[in-house]
Amino acid sequence: MYNSIIFDVDGTLIDTEEAVLRGLQTMLETDYGRVVERDRLTFVLGLPGKDSLPQLGIKDVERAHDRWNHFIQEFFYTAKVFDGINELLEGLKLKKATSGVVTSKTSQEVIDDFNPFGLTDYMAYTVCSSDTKKHKPNPEPLLKYLEISGADPKKSIYIGDTIYDYKCARDAGIDFGLALWGCINQENIDAKYKFEKPTDILEFVLTEK
């Protein structure tokens, strides 16, 4: 049973896949004249933007990242909180479990994503890309979360949708739950739990007295 539930953001709490990929496609075509098929870009999901852009051969990473974020905002109308997430977060609040976030996003990106959906107040702790030198799949972000929250790793679980999330949790020594509602490829993800819907997580949460 767990009393500390740690979430990834994209593909786990919020469905931003459309905005992220269409924003990237638009940036590549507008700024570099490159038309890239969507299937060739899905590897960026779960990685910090500044880590994924060099894999596309982009050298001016800072500028490209800013432009990508600009175009993401143009498509942000397509983003939505996954069905069942609000019920899950309310349920965790009732059980007095601690909710938090470990994400590859910047702190401003988290604010931009969370505020429109009213998710900010649910999260006691947040670790963003600027909080650690290394990023997922390296375990450093989750270890940082455990440090600042004081959470017991044996009573903590990380919920994510990619292999990067899984490897981060595995190497940090905490259990991993795969968010099937946002996962696009389960291959090689040896999660302790695979959750069909968000509220399934509540069955594994310790109720604090």
Side-chain angles (χ1 to χ4, degrees):
M1 300 293 282
Y2 306 101
N3 60 15
S4 177
I5 316 301
I6 313 162
F7 297 97
D8 172 49
V9 177
D10 290 341
T12 302
L13 295 174
I14 305 174
D15 184 359
T16 54
E17 181 178 322
E18 190 72 11
V20 168
L21 295 181
R22 287 175 67 180
L24 181 55
Q25 284 180 308
T26 303
M27 184 274 287
L28 290 171
E29 184 170 3
T30 303
D31 294 0
Y32 298 92
R34 295 170 56 185
V35 178
V36 184
E37 294 179 4
R38 182 192 183 97
D39 289 348
R40 291 181 56 202
L41 299 176
T42 55
F43 77 92
V44 307
L45 301 172
L47 284 176
K50 291 180 181 179
D51 288 351
S52 56
L53 288 169
Q55 296 184 44
L56 291 166
I58 291 175
K59 293 185 172 62
D60 50 343
V61 171
E62 289 288 342
R63 178 186 177 280
H65 191 247
D66 287 343
R67 289 284 287 166
W68 183 6
N69 282 329
H70 166 75
F71 287 116
I72 285 175
Q73 292 308 308
E74 286 194 6
F75 294 105
F76 200 73
Y77 67 90
T78 65
K80 65 183 188 301
V81 176
F82 282 104
D83 291 342
I85 289 296
N86 286 318
E87 291 87 343
L88 167 61
L89 295 176
E90 280 294 326
L92 293 174
K93 188 176 178 181
L94 287 172
K95 287 175 173 279
K96 298 183 180 179
T98 301
S99 299
V101 164
V102 167
T103 177
S104 298
K105 287 177 170 292
T106 66
S107 56
Q108 188 59 52
E109 287 169 346
V110 172
I111 291 169
D112 291 343
D113 285 1
F114 274 26
N115 284 355
F117 299 119
L119 298 180
T120 306
D121 291 342
Y122 287 106
M123 303 303 164
Y125 304 96
T126 300
V127 172
C128 301
S129 61
S130 57
D131 294 321
T132 58
K133 291 182 179 179
K134 296 178 181 178
H135 307 114
K136 295 185 291 186
N138 189 281
E140 189 173 320
L142 267 177
L143 295 174
K144 181 70 174 181
Y145 183 95
L146 295 174
E147 176 190 329
I148 65 173
S149 68
D152 182 348
K154 293 181 180 178
K155 294 184 179 179
S156 301
I157 186 169
Y158 187 43
I159 310 296
D161 65 299
T162 71
I163 195 164
Y164 309 117
D165 301 323
Y166 160 66
K167 288 181 177 179
C168 181
R170 179 195 65 193
D171 294 345
I174 73 171
D175 289 341
F176 179 69
L178 184 63
L180 290 176
W181 57 87
C183 180
I184 59 174
N185 185 4
Q186 296 183 43
E187 189 176 351
N188 298 323
I189 302 179
D190 187 22
K192 181 161 186 176
Y193 304 104
K194 294 187 177 183
F195 297 112
E196 292 283 348
K197 58 184 188 298
T199 50
D200 290 346
I201 296 167
L202 291 172
E203 298 175 25
F204 298 88
V205 177
L206 181 68
T207 300
E208 295 290 342
K209 296 179 181 179

